[in-house]
Amino acid sequence: MENGIKESQVGLGKNCAHTVLPSAMVSEKGNKNDKGVLNSLMSGALAGAVAKTAVAPLDRTKIIFQVSSNRFSAKEAYRLIYRTYLNEGFLSLWRGNSATMVRVIPYAAIQFCAHEQYKKLLGSYYGYQGAALTPIPRLLAGALAGTTAAMVTYPLDLVRARMAVTPKEMYSNIFEVFIRMSKEEGLKSLYRGFNPTILGVIPYAGISFFTYETLKKLHAEHSGRTQPYPFERLLFGACAGILGQSASYPLDVVRRRMQTAGVTGHTYSTILGTMKEVVSEEGLIRGLYKGLSMNWVKGPVAVGISFTTFDLTQILLKKLQRVSDVQR
């Protein structure tokens, strides 16, 4: 064209005449979307790393009880943590956290980024562009985000569980876990416990994101402030964590039993079979809800930190981006 701007996309004007959009406008919109995705990935990765590191000792203790037949109590959990500290040192409380980080960083990055994208997609589908989603799409966006992240990163979750329940002499690093499991138990073993994981993550992620987004929406309507204070975000995240984890906890126990079957001497192979065996040996509440009270301590803390870190990092990155754009 004579004005030096290339024609790239054609649309309909007000009078149904074809109008030509300059490629600069299309490119700018694409760059904004790319930056938004990158910001979500970075914020999610940081959120997952900070949250999981903060509760790693409690998480490791919970897994040990989940995969054993020992009765759980707060007193026994404290004794286990203290014995681990005395026998293996303070840093042993974070054993398996390196594997956790390898899983959590991509998991959280994908989950938060996918959630933002699913919100846009569902908002466009249901006609809520730029506005808060209604309850059903809000629940669906969270469930889809959690499912997407779990499907991509599942083998890393299994490796982390193996490292958490075995002595440090058994596996020296995450690569050794992958290699030995593949050789000794077959490649299929890397997806042992996958079905209960997906079934559990749907209510967990769905309810967690739904609760957090709903509380933020209600807060904005009643307070008149578009952005909650950090401590309010922590509180909203804590509520989301309690509800989400309580709803999916029995499947979390089944998942851990199936993931660690190769090192605990059991032969758990199906969801229902695992549930039946756990209930018959340990009872319904003591078996399928073992460690839930600890989850009510660690879960709200982790989820609260995760959501808060994500939101605040997103806000910071957007401010830095605006400053950068102004300086140009």
Side-chain angles (χ1 to χ4, degrees):
M1 290 181 67
E2 292 179 1
N3 60 5
I5 300 177
K6 294 181 180 179
E7 297 177 1
S8 61
Q9 287 196 4
V10 178
L12 291 176
K14 289 183 179 179
N15 297 322
C16 296
H18 287 287
T19 60
V20 179
L21 300 178
S23 61
M25 291 174 61
V26 177
S27 177
E28 184 179 349
K29 187 176 180 181
N31 287 338
K32 283 185 177 180
N33 288 336
D34 291 342
K35 287 179 180 178
V37 170
L38 183 60
N39 285 351
S40 295
L41 286 169
M42 291 171 60
S43 302
L46 180 62
V50 172
K52 276 296 184 181
T53 300
V55 299
L58 294 176
D59 206 28
R60 181 176 184 269
T61 303
K62 182 203 74 171
I63 293 173
I64 291 172
F65 274 101
Q66 281 183 328
V67 302
S68 72
S69 57
N70 298 329
R71 284 186 59 182
F72 174 84
S73 68
K75 189 176 181 180
E76 288 301 316
Y78 170 76
R79 284 179 177 172
L80 176 60
I81 292 172
Y82 188 62
R83 281 199 305 269
T84 303
Y85 164 69
L86 289 178
N87 297 333
E88 302 178 40
F90 180 71
L91 291 180
S92 67
L93 296 174
W94 275 264
R95 173 166 167 72
N97 196 51
S98 58
T100 300
M101 290 299 101
V102 172
R103 178 192 75 92
V104 160
I105 289 174
Y107 179 89
I110 293 168
Q111 180 176 239
F112 278 107
C113 182
H115 183 245
E116 294 299 306
Q117 297 307 307
Y118 282 128
K119 282 199 299 183
K120 290 179 184 178
L121 184 65
L122 291 169
S124 176
Y125 181 80
Y126 287 102
Y128 295 105
Q129 293 95 331
L133 294 175
T134 51
I136 297 300
R138 204 180 307 151
L139 184 68
L140 186 58
L144 288 170
T147 302
T148 301
M151 290 176 69
V152 174
T153 62
Y154 182 77
L156 295 170
D157 182 48
L158 184 143
V159 168
R160 171 253 188 164
R162 283 290 181 100
M163 290 191 73
V165 301
T166 54
K168 57 186 178 182
E169 296 80 14
M170 187 167 183
Y171 299 116
S172 59
N173 55 59
I174 59 175
F175 300 107
E176 186 181 356
V177 183
F178 273 117
I179 293 169
R180 286 184 55 184
M181 282 189 65
S182 300
K183 287 182 177 179
E184 297 170 7
E185 303 173 46
L187 287 173
K188 192 176 179 181
S189 66
L190 294 175
Y191 278 86
R192 183 180 291 143
F194 179 74
N195 290 338
T197 298
I198 295 300
L199 289 176
V201 84
I202 290 172
Y204 171 68
I207 291 172
S208 296
F209 278 105
F210 170 81
T211 303
Y212 186 70
E213 294 288 321
T214 300
L215 289 174
K216 284 204 301 182
K217 180 175 179 291
L218 293 173
H219 172 272
E221 291 172 354
H222 288 84
S223 70
R225 287 185 284 115
T226 56
Q227 297 294 343
Y229 295 127
F231 77 88
E232 291 172 326
R233 294 181 192 275
L234 284 169
L235 183 61
F236 298 160
C239 293
I242 288 175
L243 293 176
Q245 293 190 343
S246 297
S248 61
Y249 196 78
L251 285 166
D252 190 43
V253 172
V254 170
R255 167 174 71 120
R256 294 303 184 199
R257 292 294 179 104
M258 293 179 73
Q259 285 178 336
T260 59
V263 293
T264 58
H266 289 82
T267 55
Y268 302 120
S269 56
T270 65
I271 297 173
L272 289 177
T274 304
M275 281 187 167
K276 286 179 181 178
E277 188 168 339
V278 171
V279 171
S280 65
E281 291 179 359
E282 304 167 46
L284 178 64
I285 302 299
R286 290 177 180 172
L288 293 180
Y289 288 90
K290 180 187 292 183
L292 178 59
S293 57
M294 179 176 286
N295 244 33
W296 285 340
V297 175
K298 106 177 169 55
V301 173
V303 177
I305 291 173
S306 182
F307 277 126
T308 303
T309 303
F310 176 79
D311 279 355
L312 296 181
T313 307
Q314 280 278 82
I315 292 169
L316 176 61
L317 290 175
K318 287 176 182 177
K319 284 182 179 178
L320 293 174
Q321 189 175 315
R322 283 197 294 268
V323 171
S324 176
D325 291 341
V326 169
Q327 288 176 346
R328 288 178 187 175

